[in-house]
Amino acid sequence: MTDTHAQTKPADPAADDQAGDQAQTWRDDFSRVLSPVFGSPQLDLVRGEGSYVWDASGKKYLDLLAGIAVNALGHAHPAWTAAIAEQASMLGHISNFFTSPAQIGLAEKLHQILDLPDGSAVFFSNSGTEANEAAFKMARRAGGGGRPFIIAIDGAFHGRTMGSLALTAKAAYREPFAPGVPGVVHVPYGDTQALEAAINENTAAVFIEPVQGEVGVRTHPAGYLTAVRELTTKFGALMVLDEVQSGIGRTGYWFAHQDPEIGEGVTPDIITSAKGLGGGMPIGATITVGDSNTKLLEAGQHGTTFGGNPLSCAAGLAVLETIEKDNLLAHVAEVSDWLKAQLAEVDGIGEITGKGLLLGLELTSDGAAGAADAQGSGDGQVPDSKAVAARALEAGFIINPVAPGRLRLAPPLTITTEELAPFITALPGLIAG
């Protein structure tokens, strides 16, 4: 892509100093007026186009995280921006007393791509955690409200609002807000026997991500999702698939559970979606499969002011239609095959997990500075993923140190092998330090 608006870096030292001063000013302003919950921002981004973003100094970055799997079409995609502009020129917000063509159109498209049976329904909210909150409330209603327990899986991340937080595995996220929402039981990852021991007639639901993102990007062992479906059916509990990160083409399928290798042909009771669904606009969706699941919430039992907002729904519909029109599911699979083959040849990269353009990279001591050489000398230390990500950022690549010793890649679905090639070339040096 040719850029005529920004240079890679300032042309002279004076400009470099000026850009540094501006960045420091923005950081000072951030600290003065915004909540500290996100920490200090790594960059001051001002513009994006396709797979790239630019900071306030004009430096260009290849975005290999896409807003944490949000910007499915990249930045400022013409179809996405046109849909938002057109909708904004007609109708921005109407509240949930009314509906709009954009809301109905997006819901119909989700019904189509999921091949939902009659009686299924979509509830729109504003984020992934809200989508899971709605599913949590449905679980509380399961079995007439007489089932107090919900099962979640170790390694899961379902959100940070109180119900979703209870489902999230990481104790450091939950403990500051104890006692939290009661009734959630976490079972060991991939352990079918532990799941069998935990589930019974008092279980309302099992929440599970087909691909766990925050733990380093991993799928479940073969047969595990099948076991979840069989056990929930046996005990009359709901199977809730959290596809907030793994859905909307991210794995080369519309939703990860539609991939036979991941989903094993299971049909869930509830699916939650967000992130890529809006392509950058805030939206969440709680999708009930079949009439009985849809009836778990009745009129007046749940709601949200901005749910089904015409702007967000127009953006979401543009995302789905563009993925379909541009055959991006096949593109994701093709680019993923190339990318994994290239990564497998990089010193310092071990196991590559995930599917499509949601990949986890294990860092090994092979490519690290000071790692053991052929004679066995060196310290053999696994590189610090945060340090690798920091070096990548300095070199113009945005990647995510998702866990110790692991990197996450979740670039736009539109990214090309030509755009990825410089990152592959630079990666050994970024790992070595």
Side-chain angles (χ1 to χ4, degrees), residues 269-332:
D269 297 293
I270 299 172
I271 304 161
T272 59
S273 180
K275 288 190 180 289
L277 179 59
M281 287 290 284
I283 192 170
T286 307
I287 305 162
T288 49
V289 181
D291 183 68
S292 61
N293 294 317
T294 296
K295 289 179 177 176
L296 288 169
L297 287 180
E298 301 172 3
Q301 290 185 332
H302 194 56
T304 172
T305 298
F306 292 102
N309 174 271
L311 286 175
S312 291
C313 286
L317 189 55
V319 169
L320 299 185
E321 289 178 342
T322 301
I323 290 173
E324 191 169 56
K325 177 176 68 70
D326 292 351
N327 201 22
L328 289 181
L329 298 183
H331 175 78
V332 166

Side-chain angles (χ1 to χ4, degrees), residues 169-410:
K170 194 171 182 178
Y173 291 157
R174 300 195 317 268
E175 288 173 351
F177 309 100
V181 177
V184 176
V185 177
H186 291 87
V187 299
Y189 162 81
D191 189 334
T192 303
Q193 290 184 335
L195 177 64
E196 290 175 343
I199 193 169
N200 55 46
E201 292 84 355
N202 292 318
T203 304
V206 175
F207 278 71
I208 184 168
E209 302 158 283
V211 183
Q212 291 188 330
E214 294 298 313
V215 78
V217 188
R218 66 183 181 188
T219 55
H220 298 275
Y224 190 76
L225 259 65
T226 298
V228 172
R229 179 68 282 181
E230 290 175 349
L231 288 166
T232 50
T233 300
K234 176 181 177 180
F235 289 102
L238 301 174
M239 181 180 186
V240 182
L241 284 185
D242 179 342
E243 292 252 30
V244 167
Q245 185 166 163
S246 60
I248 317 301
R250 179 56 49 189
T251 64
Y253 288 76
W254 283 114
F255 287 87
H257 77 274
Q258 294 175 314
D259 179 346
E261 292 184 2
I262 295 176
E264 302 174 339
V266 303
T267 299
D269 297 293
I270 299 172
I271 304 161
T272 59
S273 180
K275 288 190 180 289
L277 179 59
M281 287 290 284
I283 192 170
T286 307
I287 305 162
T288 49
V289 181
D291 183 68
S292 61
N293 294 317
T294 296
K295 289 179 177 176
L296 288 169
L297 287 180
E298 301 172 3
Q301 290 185 332
H302 194 56
T304 172
T305 298
F306 292 102
N309 174 271
L311 286 175
S312 291
C313 286
L317 189 55
V319 169
L320 299 185
E321 289 178 342
T322 301
I323 290 173
E324 191 169 56
K325 177 176 68 70
D326 292 351
N327 201 22
L328 289 181
L329 298 183
H331 175 78
V332 166
E334 180 181 346
V335 172
S336 178
D337 287 345
W338 179 90
L339 178 57
K340 287 188 288 187
Q342 297 296 313
L343 290 168
E345 299 299 320
V346 174
D347 287 342
I349 296 294
E351 183 185 23
I352 302 167
T353 59
K355 202 76 180 285
L357 291 178
L358 179 58
L359 299 178
L361 313 181
E362 177 195 27
L363 297 175
T364 72
S365 61
D366 295 347
D373 58 23
Q375 285 72 44
S377 61
D379 57 23
Q381 292 292 315
V382 173
D384 178 3
S385 58
K386 290 184 178 180
V388 174
R391 290 193 288 269
L393 196 66
E394 181 65 26
F397 305 104
I398 297 174
I399 59 177
N400 177 227
V402 66
R406 295 193 69 84
L407 302 173
R408 172 171 52 181
L409 303 182

